[in-house]
Amino acid sequence: MIELGAVVLTGGAARRMGGIDKPAVPVAGRSMRDRVLAAVASAAPRVVVGPAVDLPPGVSVTREQPAGGGPVAATAAGLAVLGVSGPATSAVPDSAQGRPGVRPNPPEFVALLAADLPLLTGEAVGLLAEKIAGSHADGVLYRDDDGRRQLLCGVWRTVALAAALDRLHQQRGGTLAGASIRALVAELTVVEVSWVGAGPPPWFDCDTDDDVRRAEEWTR
């Protein structure tokens, strides 16, 4: 077991699905967001960044600054709730919903996840956690069948991810709005793993209605 927190990002525009609240779309009767949260049920704290209602008990919620500022700004907001201090996280106001009155000590590791991964499981997150605990890498993430990094399906050393946020914050003149996750992790040491367990690929994300239908088929 490792000390693991979780940050789940829900703020995407879902343009290919008509701008709907994509994380709230159900797959097999349960929203994609709640499926992701269930996969990190043992993590503490668990933080959702972006629009969110009816969260499971014990889950905090905050917003990126500015709202709609993208996944890197959302990552900074999530790490702020986890207790990370630094130039990048200090931009998140203390009044952000879900922020504890006194910051906790941040966990050693953090799962950074998109909210549209309905096939993610605790087993799949556990494999990432096991890999990073047994390595000196800054992060471990899944690689899909075409060799592409799944940048929002990984586990990171919190200190390394926070340092990368601060570095990018400085490089961009004090803002993270519009920055890409690829730029955030460009200087980090990353281990890529393939899914070899039973069941469908946990990194499968739903960007279209067809993707949702495919995920439904996999869960039958």
Side-chain angles (χ1 to χ4, degrees):
M1 297 294 292
I2 66 171
E3 189 183 51
L4 180 69
V7 173
V8 178
L9 308 185
T10 69
R15 292 184 180 88
R16 283 185 279 177
M17 296 179 69
I20 63 172
D21 181 6
K22 182 172 64 169
V25 172
V27 170
R30 193 176 196 181
S31 74
M32 291 193 280
R33 181 204 67 197
D34 285 359
R35 283 180 165 271
V36 173
L37 287 169
V40 288
S42 61
R46 290 182 295 167
V47 183
V48 167
V49 186
V53 296
D54 299 325
L55 288 169
V59 178
S60 298
V61 59
T62 189
R63 285 303 306 265
E64 68 277 16
Q65 298 296 321
V72 176
T75 299
L79 262 60
V81 177
L82 263 60
V84 172
S85 298
T89 54
S90 65
V92 183
D94 289 339
S95 60
Q97 184 181 359
R99 176 73 61 84
V102 177
R103 286 190 177 189
N105 292 321
E108 184 177 3
F109 301 97
V110 57
L112 181 62
L113 305 165
D116 62 349
L117 305 173
L119 307 179
L120 189 67
T121 63
E123 179 187 2
V125 175
L127 175 61
L128 295 173
E130 178 184 340
K131 292 287 186 182
I132 196 169
S135 75
H136 297 291
D138 296 321
V140 176
L141 48 74
Y142 280 109
R143 178 183 61 241
D144 69 18
D145 296 340
D146 294 322
R148 294 173 297 205
R149 287 180 168 186
Q150 298 302 300
L151 295 172
L152 289 177
C153 190
V155 173
W156 303 86
R157 294 186 188 275
T158 306
V159 169
L161 193 59
L165 282 167
D166 289 343
R167 183 164 55 246
L168 192 58
H169 185 263
Q170 181 179 20
Q171 291 171 355
R172 292 173 58 86
T175 180
L176 294 174
S180 69
I181 293 292
R182 189 179 305 278
L184 175 63
V185 305
E187 298 182 37
L188 298 182
T189 303
V190 179
V191 171
E192 303 171 13
V193 298
S194 298
W195 175 243
V196 294
W203 42 258
F204 182 79
D205 61 331
C206 292
D207 291 326
T208 66
D209 292 333
D210 285 343
D211 291 338
V212 174
R213 284 190 286 270
R214 188 178 180 192
E216 286 271 7
E217 292 172 359
W218 261 319
T219 57
R220 289 174 185 166

